[in-house]
Amino acid sequence: MNLKEELHGLSDKLEQFRRKFAAAEKRGDKGIMLQFRQEINTVTKRIASVKAQQTRELSKQGGSVAGLKFKRVLTKAEQADMGKLKKSVKGLVVVHPMTALGREMGITQVTGFAAKEF
């Protein structure tokens, strides 16, 4: 299971535990409240761990892409025919500013990274 799916599943569990905790609180059931409070803390810690792991992987990927020797902003014509561009340039990595990688790298325009000039 990838990190995104795991994070989604953990968020669902957290919401479920919070609802059950609220119901137990309404009933005044101290034992169940304690149990769900512990579950909420455990899941919250796991979510933080998964988010940190996602950030590390994204930083690693951003570092490898930024380490490529050549980069430039892609023109609108190149963006329109991305398939042709990728076939002509071996190892081209295109980073869009609205993706997680683009935000991590601080890119403001669609940029292509490659080992050789294109």
Side-chain angles (χ1 to χ4, degrees), residues 7 10-11 13-15 17-18 36-52:
L7 188 59
L10 288 170
S11 295
K13 276 186 182 179
L14 180 63
E15 184 60 32
F17 289 151
R18 284 183 177 160
F36 282 118
R37 188 173 294 133
Q38 289 173 346
E39 292 288 343
I40 288 171
N41 288 338
T42 303
V43 171
T44 304
K45 287 178 186 176
R46 181 67 184 136
I47 287 173
S49 171
V50 170
K51 284 184 179 181

Side-chain angles (χ1 to χ4, degrees), residues 60-70 93 95 101 105 107 113-114:
K60 185 193 299 184
Q61 185 181 7
S64 66
V65 169
L68 293 173
K69 294 181 181 175
F70 189 75
V93 178
V95 180
L101 181 59
M105 294 175 70
I107 291 181
F113 294 86

